[in-house]
Amino acid sequence: MLRTVPGATAFGGDRMTGQSFNIRGIGSTASDQNRIIITVDGAEKYGELYRLGQFFGEPELYKRVEILRGPASSALHGSGALGGVVAFETKDAADFLQPGETTTVRVKAAGNTNGSGTLGSVILAQRFGESFEMLAALNHRREGDYKSGDGTRVEGSGMAGTSGLLKGTYRFGDGNEQTLSLSLLRWLSDEDGANYSAYALAPAFGTVDRKAQDDTATLLWTNPASGNPWLDSRVALTYSRTLIDQKNAEPGMPSLIGNPLFEDTVYEYRTLALRAQNRFTFQGAGWENYLTVGVAASDLDRKAQRESGAISFHPEGTDRRYGLFLQNEFIWDERQTAVLGLRADRITLMPSDEVVNGEKRSHTARVASLALHYKLSQDWAVFGSVSQTERAPSIDEMFDVASGAGKTTSLDLRPERARTLEAGFSYGGRDLFAEGDSLDFKLTAFSNRVTDKIERPGAAVPETYANIARAHIRGIELEGGYDADAVFGKFAYSRILGTDQTSGERLNSTPADELVLELGARAFDQTLEYGWRGTFVRQATRANGDAFPGYGVNDLFATWRPDQGAMAGLEVHLAVNNVLNKQYRNVLNGGLTSNEPRRGRDIRLSVARQFSW
């Protein structure tokens, strides 16, 4: 999903329970994950899961993923998005039902060679009159251990996951403009003998029986009120629950036997949130203004229990937030756009009774941003922004006492602050070489300075965490593409430099320089699409001196979607990934001793058929 988005990377290996995100050099370890906001249908998902990834999800259920790069997105989405936002949106019945149709059934089967994986999926979309429609989807995915480019089997990389989505939408009011929708999403995996470490090569931790369940529920009301410039409302009530149940752990080293880390353990996160906003429209001669104001509230409960009681390295507690935000977009003469964003969140952290030396603490995190966009001509534009974002300490940072002997809670932590500058230009041309073709590209440069960065100070101070670090992350992103009836292409390049200004070392959350090229063509009245994709990554070195060589990975793909006759509704997709069987590793996945090699050559075939009436 993120291949051609420069500055955004999914990492954590090929396991479905190991996925995490990095945006513009932010996002690596569990303590870094809360600097990126992840939402599914507006419900925020929470990280900090020990030796697990940040995200659980089935790509078959999503129709769209929006990547907002940089902390300017914090104004609308919440303070703390120092890296940015990854927003997933699930499929709707309307995505499958054409006018005049009441029922659609879509079935899909897929398989891949490296790991002998299989996928089965069925989707039912049903329309009841003009006011109500629903969608039900069920998926099951299973993969065995894959082999890396040199033929080495990556033990414990296989797993199975089942997921489902139930979603209904009711339309009412004048012109059926208002909508009330409910979506229920579940991910479930139940593994015996899984690797204890789900995203790194760590045989010392051995194996564990692990059940992962992730639930998301969203109740959403929208009222665009097209005839009323003072009313364009949206209210969402969301619920998220992530449960990790681990049993029968078998450490890989005898010295770890009896360690409380390997007791039967349950980790759980529950978040209930409410968000309401309204947009006011003002217009005059040659100008438009859109003012969005809103409120948000959330309550997160974090639990962790094992046989012998509470877990000091995964402290229990509650994160309660109340926020006010506004965004004002002013457009002058259809050429000049200015966007102002302001937000303030009040965050209260409350430890459970089992946290030693824990006390309630409150912080106020503020966000301010200003973005400008100016059209030099019909095709060319320049843009720039300045923003300041604060991130309050998390439950883990405030109440963890397990990083070493004699450590205590970190009750005096201050919010982190990020100041970001961004500038660039864009081009969008049409009808250049053929009728209807398009060429678009954008160049962006950014500089992000983080102060009061929260890190583990080691033995220097008694607190587990402290505001001891400063970081400077800067980079450039180049992206674009060409599209015509017969040919298409995309490119994405990112170069990011991250420096720990306290130590002078390279930040381990800095991704390697990357260039992605995609070239393709269409045939048979555009029903057949085929092409090549190359991912070229420069060598990189971690702070400890581990050097990762650069690499190039080549993929081939083809998709056939006949739209007439008996084959209409069929979709066949064939891909050969890592054609040359390249052996490579992602520098974000950790040092060389624990960094798993990625998947070697893999042939993937999927066949889907849609029936509508």
Side-chain angles (χ1 to χ4, degrees):
M1 287 182 168
L2 309 184
R3 277 188 178 123
T4 56
V5 181
T9 304
F11 68 97
D14 273 293
R15 293 183 180 87
M16 287 176 270
T17 53
Q19 292 296 295
S20 295
F21 298 97
N22 180 287
I23 301 178
R24 288 187 171 177
I26 292 179
S28 60
T29 61
S31 62
D32 213 17
Q33 291 176 2
N34 54 51
R35 296 180 176 104
I36 294 175
I37 291 178
I38 299 174
T39 65
V40 176
D41 285 345
E44 187 170 342
K45 311 302 291 185
Y46 201 73
E48 294 189 337
L49 297 169
Y50 184 73
R51 296 211 167 262
L52 286 174
Q54 187 180 11
F55 180 70
F56 303 85
E58 169 56 62
E60 289 293 317
L61 298 178
Y62 305 122
K63 68 175 179 180
R64 182 171 181 263
V65 55
E66 182 179 14
I67 311 296
L68 303 176
R69 287 165 283 179
S73 56
S74 293
L76 285 182
H77 291 269
S79 60
L82 272 61
V85 177
V86 183
F88 291 89
E89 184 179 350
T90 57
K91 295 175 179 177
D92 291 290
D95 300 324
F96 300 92
L97 294 167
Q98 299 298 320
E101 297 175 349
T102 58
T103 305
T104 293
V105 176
R106 185 179 187 270
V107 293
K108 179 177 181 179
N112 65 291
T113 58
N114 194 341
S116 301
T118 59
L119 165 72
S121 171
V122 59
I123 295 175
L124 168 66
Q126 180 69 45
R127 179 177 288 141
F128 301 89
E130 297 181 354
S131 299
F132 182 69
E133 58 195 27
M134 64 161 291
L135 178 140
L138 182 65
N139 304 272
H140 182 73
R141 185 185 295 271
R142 179 181 296 275
E143 289 196 5
D145 294 345
Y146 70 83
K147 293 182 179 180
S148 62
D150 64 0
T152 302
R153 182 180 299 277
V154 179
E155 298 293 338
S157 58
M159 67 169 297
T162 301
S163 58
L165 170 66
L166 184 63
K167 196 170 188 178
T169 302
Y170 175 65
R171 296 180 173 85
F172 60 98
D174 294 340
N176 273 353
E177 275 194 331
Q178 297 188 56
T179 63
L180 183 65
S181 64
L182 174 66
S183 66
L184 304 172
L185 180 67
R186 169 167 288 186
W187 161 274
L188 180 65
S189 60
D190 194 352
E191 306 170 88
D192 293 334
N195 278 10
Y196 195 100
S197 178
Y199 58 75
L201 182 64
F205 284 92
T207 62
V208 68
D209 296 342
R210 177 185 288 136
K211 179 180 179 181
Q213 180 177 317
D214 187 84
D215 297 324
T216 308
T218 299
L219 180 63
L220 174 65
W221 170 72
T222 63
N223 181 15
S226 58
N228 186 349
W230 297 91
L231 186 63
D232 185 351
S233 301
R234 179 185 179 93
V235 180
L237 178 65
T238 63
Y239 174 77
S240 173
R241 177 177 182 257
T242 301
L243 176 70
I244 307 296
D245 189 353
Q246 298 188 156
K247 297 179 179 179
N248 305 320
E250 296 184 4
M253 293 179 59
S255 60
L256 293 177
I257 295 176
N259 190 307
L261 179 66
F262 300 97
E263 295 180 13
D264 291 356
T265 308
V266 176
Y267 303 96
E268 184 178 20
Y269 295 88
R270 293 187 182 187
T271 305
L272 180 66
L274 177 66
R275 176 189 172 96
Q277 67 182 56
N278 187 71
R279 189 174 75 164
F280 303 87
T281 301
F282 309 89
Q283 291 179 320
W287 63 272
E288 304 169 51
N289 193 87
Y290 304 94
L291 173 63
T292 300
V293 295
V295 297
S298 65
D299 187 274
L300 163 69
D301 283 326
R302 166 176 158 143
K303 297 183 181 299
Q305 290 289 328
R306 60 187 176 197
E307 293 173 318
S308 58
I311 304 175
S312 57
F313 63 80
H314 197 99
E316 294 185 331
T318 300
D319 181 323
R320 189 164 294 158
R321 298 174 180 239
Y322 303 95
L324 300 172
F325 61 89
L326 72 82
Q327 177 175 285
N328 192 78
E329 180 180 3
F330 179 77
I331 303 173
W332 174 263
D333 196 28
E334 298 184 351
R335 299 184 67 178
Q336 173 69 57
T337 301
V339 181
L340 171 69
L342 298 172
R343 185 184 184 104
D345 288 318
R346 185 64 174 173
I347 300 102
T348 300
L349 303 181
M350 295 169 286
S352 73
D353 294 337
E354 296 176 319
V355 174
V356 179
N357 296 324
E359 295 180 15
K360 183 173 73 171
R361 286 291 188 271
S362 295
H363 300 88
T364 299
R366 302 173 181 85
V367 177
S369 64
L370 176 64
L372 302 175
H373 185 277
Y374 183 73
K375 290 185 178 180
L376 299 171
S377 66
Q378 186 66 27
D379 301 332
W380 292 91
V382 294
F383 58 87
S385 68
V386 56
S387 63
Q388 175 166 304
T389 301
E390 295 179 337
R391 182 188 75 87
S394 66
I395 295 173
D396 195 60
E397 293 164 336
M398 186 72 71
F399 304 126
D400 183 356
V401 295
S403 67
K407 287 293 182 179
T408 185
T409 51
S410 311
L411 303 180
D412 295 326
L413 289 176
R414 301 181 302 276
E416 295 177 339
R417 298 190 306 275
R419 295 183 178 93
T420 305
L421 298 174
E422 183 176 321
F425 65 87
S426 63
Y427 172 82
R430 303 294 182 268
D431 300 321
L432 299 175
F433 308 108
E435 184 179 355
D437 72 346
S438 63
L439 174 64
D440 299 274
F441 65 82
K442 181 171 70 171
L443 174 66
T444 306
F446 68 90
S447 173
N448 188 1
R449 294 183 180 272
V450 182
T451 57
D452 282 337
K453 194 168 185 285
I454 299 172
E455 299 283 357
R456 291 180 182 267
V461 296
E463 290 80 13
T464 304
Y465 286 91
N467 297 95
I468 60 172
R470 293 180 296 118
H472 185 201
I473 306 171
R474 62 273 191 206
I476 60 171
E477 300 163 348
L478 180 62
E479 57 194 301
Y482 176 76
D483 190 73
D485 289 343
V487 296
F488 63 92
K490 297 178 182 178
F491 62 90
Y493 172 74
S494 63
R495 176 173 172 77
I496 298 172
L497 303 175
T499 305
D500 184 333
Q501 293 183 298
T502 305
S503 65
E505 297 177 337
R506 178 185 186 272
L507 290 173
N508 284 330
S509 59
T510 307
D513 300 355
E514 182 177 270
L515 171 66
V516 178
L517 298 174
E518 186 173 291
L519 299 174
R522 301 184 181 96
F524 305 115
D525 294 328
Q526 301 187 25
T527 60
L528 176 64
E529 187 173 282
Y530 58 94
W532 160 86
R533 181 188 305 109
T535 302
F536 306 98
V537 178
R538 192 177 181 181
Q539 65 85 28
T541 302
R542 291 176 65 87
N544 66 354
D546 285 355
F548 288 73
Y551 58 86
V553 175
N554 296 273
D555 306 326
L556 300 174
F557 59 87
T559 302
W560 181 45
R561 298 185 183 93
D563 56 4
Q564 295 181 0
M567 293 297 217
L570 179 69
E571 179 178 316
V572 181
H573 182 73
L574 174 66
V576 184
N577 295 331
N578 198 357
V579 175
L580 302 180
N581 224 11
K582 184 69 176 179
Q583 177 84 353
Y584 68 102
R585 290 175 168 86
N586 189 328
V587 68
L588 294 175
N589 283 5
L592 286 172
T593 58
S594 62
N595 196 302
E596 287 184 342
R598 301 306 297 267
R599 195 181 299 259
R601 184 185 301 116
D602 188 25
I603 302 174
R604 292 179 172 261
L605 174 66
S606 68
V607 180
R609 183 64 189 268
Q610 185 165 306
F611 305 90
S612 301
W613 60 90

